[in-house]
PDB file of all heavy atoms in Angstrom:
ATOM      1  N   VAL A  53      99.713 124.958  97.478  1.00  0.00           N
ATOM      2  CA  VAL A  53      99.572 123.498  97.328  1.00  0.00           C
ATOM      3  C   VAL A  53     100.447 122.795  98.365  1.00  0.00           C
ATOM      4  O   VAL A  53     100.017 121.850  99.016  1.00  0.00           O
ATOM      5  CB  VAL A  53      99.920 123.048  95.896  1.00  0.00           C
ATOM      6  CG1 VAL A  53      99.926 121.526  95.790  1.00  0.00           C
ATOM      7  CG2 VAL A  53      98.959 123.655  94.899  1.00  0.00           C
ATOM      8  N   ALA A  54     101.672 123.284  98.526  1.00  0.00           N
ATOM      9  CA  ALA A  54     102.559 122.693  99.538  1.00  0.00           C
ATOM     10  C   ALA A  54     101.951 122.792 100.929  1.00  0.00           C
ATOM     11  O   ALA A  54     101.988 121.834 101.699  1.00  0.00           O
ATOM     12  CB  ALA A  54     103.923 123.385  99.488  1.00  0.00           C
ATOM     13  N   SER A  55     101.376 123.946 101.232  1.00  0.00           N
ATOM     14  CA  SER A  55     100.755 124.149 102.547  1.00  0.00           C
ATOM     15  C   SER A  55      99.561 123.210 102.738  1.00  0.00           C
ATOM     16  O   SER A  55      99.406 122.602 103.800  1.00  0.00           O
ATOM     17  CB  SER A  55     100.309 125.615 102.661  1.00  0.00           C
ATOM     18  OG  SER A  55      99.613 125.816 103.858  1.00  0.00           O
ATOM     19  N   LEU A  56      98.734 123.095 101.721  1.00  0.00           N
ATOM     20  CA  LEU A  56      97.580 122.195 101.799  1.00  0.00           C
ATOM     21  C   LEU A  56      98.021 120.758 102.021  1.00  0.00           C
ATOM     22  O   LEU A  56      97.457 120.029 102.853  1.00  0.00           O
ATOM     23  CB  LEU A  56      96.740 122.314 100.516  1.00  0.00           C
ATOM     24  CG  LEU A  56      95.549 121.397 100.419  1.00  0.00           C
ATOM     25  CD1 LEU A  56      94.503 121.750 101.484  1.00  0.00           C
ATOM     26  CD2 LEU A  56      94.925 121.483  99.038  1.00  0.00           C
ATOM     27  N   CYS A  57      99.042 120.321 101.286  1.00  0.00           N
ATOM     28  CA  CYS A  57      99.526 118.947 101.430  1.00  0.00           C
ATOM     29  C   CYS A  57     100.136 118.708 102.807  1.00  0.00           C
ATOM     30  O   CYS A  57      99.930 117.655 103.405  1.00  0.00           O
ATOM     31  CB  CYS A  57     100.538 118.627 100.337  1.00  0.00           C
ATOM     32  SG  CYS A  57      99.750 118.473  98.736  1.00  0.00           S
ATOM     33  N   THR A  58     100.849 119.699 103.312  1.00  0.00           N
ATOM     34  CA  THR A  58     101.427 119.577 104.648  1.00  0.00           C
ATOM     35  C   THR A  58     100.327 119.393 105.676  1.00  0.00           C
ATOM     36  O   THR A  58     100.396 118.531 106.569  1.00  0.00           O
ATOM     37  CB  THR A  58     102.278 120.814 104.985  1.00  0.00           C
ATOM     38  OG1 THR A  58     103.354 120.888 104.052  1.00  0.00           O
ATOM     39  CG2 THR A  58     102.827 120.742 106.396  1.00  0.00           C
ATOM     40  N   ARG A  59      99.263 120.176 105.563  1.00  0.00           N
ATOM     41  CA  ARG A  59      98.134 120.042 106.500  1.00  0.00           C
ATOM     42  C   ARG A  59      97.452 118.677 106.358  1.00  0.00           C
ATOM     43  O   ARG A  59      97.074 118.065 107.367  1.00  0.00           O
ATOM     44  CB  ARG A  59      97.131 121.173 106.280  1.00  0.00           C
ATOM     45  CG  ARG A  59      97.666 122.533 106.749  1.00  0.00           C
ATOM     46  CD  ARG A  59      96.593 123.603 106.874  1.00  0.00           C
ATOM     47  NE  ARG A  59      95.580 123.653 105.840  1.00  0.00           N
ATOM     48  CZ  ARG A  59      95.655 124.391 104.734  1.00  0.00           C
ATOM     49  NH1 ARG A  59      96.728 125.133 104.495  1.00  0.00           N
ATOM     50  NH2 ARG A  59      94.674 124.394 103.867  1.00  0.00           N
ATOM     51  N   ALA A  60      97.322 118.210 105.126  1.00  0.00           N
ATOM     52  CA  ALA A  60      96.685 116.892 104.920  1.00  0.00           C
ATOM     53  C   ALA A  60      97.529 115.778 105.535  1.00  0.00           C
ATOM     54  O   ALA A  60      96.992 114.880 106.194  1.00  0.00           O
ATOM     55  CB  ALA A  60      96.478 116.644 103.425  1.00  0.00           C
ATOM     56  N   VAL A  61      98.834 115.854 105.360  1.00  0.00           N
ATOM     57  CA  VAL A  61      99.715 114.846 105.933  1.00  0.00           C
ATOM     58  C   VAL A  61      99.679 114.922 107.454  1.00  0.00           C
ATOM     59  O   VAL A  61      99.629 113.887 108.136  1.00  0.00           O
ATOM     60  CB  VAL A  61     101.161 115.011 105.386  1.00  0.00           C
ATOM     61  CG1 VAL A  61     102.158 114.210 106.184  1.00  0.00           C
ATOM     62  CG2 VAL A  61     101.201 114.616 103.913  1.00  0.00           C
ATOM     63  N   GLN A  62      99.669 116.119 108.009  1.00  0.00           N
ATOM     64  CA  GLN A  62      99.571 116.279 109.464  1.00  0.00           C
ATOM     65  C   GLN A  62      98.251 115.719 109.979  1.00  0.00           C
ATOM     66  O   GLN A  62      98.216 115.069 111.042  1.00  0.00           O
ATOM     67  CB  GLN A  62      99.711 117.749 109.853  1.00  0.00           C
ATOM     68  CG  GLN A  62     101.110 118.269 109.689  1.00  0.00           C
ATOM     69  CD  GLN A  62     101.202 119.776 109.843  1.00  0.00           C
ATOM     70  OE1 GLN A  62     100.191 120.501 109.784  1.00  0.00           O
ATOM     71  NE2 GLN A  62     102.425 120.281 110.014  1.00  0.00           N
ATOM     72  N   PHE A  63      97.171 115.934 109.242  1.00  0.00           N
ATOM     73  CA  PHE A  63      95.872 115.407 109.635  1.00  0.00           C
ATOM     74  C   PHE A  63      95.898 113.868 109.663  1.00  0.00           C
ATOM     75  O   PHE A  63      95.463 113.254 110.647  1.00  0.00           O
ATOM     76  CB  PHE A  63      94.776 115.891 108.679  1.00  0.00           C
ATOM     77  CG  PHE A  63      93.444 115.277 108.931  1.00  0.00           C
ATOM     78  CD1 PHE A  63      92.628 115.762 109.949  1.00  0.00           C
ATOM     79  CD2 PHE A  63      92.988 114.208 108.168  1.00  0.00           C
ATOM     80  CE1 PHE A  63      91.394 115.175 110.194  1.00  0.00           C
ATOM     81  CE2 PHE A  63      91.762 113.629 108.411  1.00  0.00           C
ATOM     82  CZ  PHE A  63      90.959 114.110 109.433  1.00  0.00           C
ATOM     83  N   LEU A  64      96.401 113.265 108.605  1.00  0.00           N
ATOM     84  CA  LEU A  64      96.469 111.798 108.555  1.00  0.00           C
ATOM     85  C   LEU A  64      97.355 111.266 109.671  1.00  0.00           C
ATOM     86  O   LEU A  64      97.035 110.262 110.309  1.00  0.00           O
ATOM     87  CB  LEU A  64      96.978 111.329 107.188  1.00  0.00           C
ATOM     88  CG  LEU A  64      96.035 111.560 106.020  1.00  0.00           C
ATOM     89  CD1 LEU A  64      96.743 111.299 104.691  1.00  0.00           C
ATOM     90  CD2 LEU A  64      94.790 110.700 106.143  1.00  0.00           C
ATOM     91  N   SER A  65      98.462 111.937 109.895  1.00  0.00           N
ATOM     92  CA  SER A  65      99.368 111.514 110.957  1.00  0.00           C
ATOM     93  C   SER A  65      98.696 111.628 112.323  1.00  0.00           C
ATOM     94  O   SER A  65      98.851 110.750 113.178  1.00  0.00           O
ATOM     95  CB  SER A  65     100.638 112.372 110.900  1.00  0.00           C
ATOM     96  OG  SER A  65     101.557 111.937 111.850  1.00  0.00           O
ATOM     97  N   SER A  66      97.930 112.706 112.535  1.00  0.00           N
ATOM     98  CA  SER A  66      97.252 112.880 113.822  1.00  0.00           C
ATOM     99  C   SER A  66      96.191 111.816 114.041  1.00  0.00           C
ATOM    100  O   SER A  66      95.794 111.543 115.176  1.00  0.00           O
ATOM    101  CB  SER A  66      96.614 114.267 113.902  1.00  0.00           C
ATOM    102  OG  SER A  66      95.458 114.339 113.082  1.00  0.00           O
ATOM    103  N   ARG A  67      95.716 111.213 112.963  1.00  0.00           N
ATOM    104  CA  ARG A  67      94.734 110.126 113.071  1.00  0.00           C
ATOM    105  C   ARG A  67      95.400 108.767 113.198  1.00  0.00           C
ATOM    106  O   ARG A  67      94.744 107.740 113.179  1.00  0.00           O
ATOM    107  CB  ARG A  67      93.807 110.111 111.834  1.00  0.00           C
ATOM    108  CG  ARG A  67      92.957 111.364 111.672  1.00  0.00           C
ATOM    109  CD  ARG A  67      91.992 111.492 112.849  1.00  0.00           C
ATOM    110  NE  ARG A  67      91.010 112.524 112.662  1.00  0.00           N
ATOM    111  CZ  ARG A  67      91.116 113.787 113.071  1.00  0.00           C
ATOM    112  NH1 ARG A  67      92.211 114.165 113.694  1.00  0.00           N
ATOM    113  NH2 ARG A  67      90.156 114.646 112.885  1.00  0.00           N
TER     114      ARG A  67
END
Side-chain angles (χ1 to χ4, degrees):
V53 174
S55 175
L56 177 66
C57 289
T58 298
R59 289 195 319 268
V61 167
Q62 289 170 344
F63 174 80
L64 291 170
S65 183
S66 74
R67 297 296 190 267

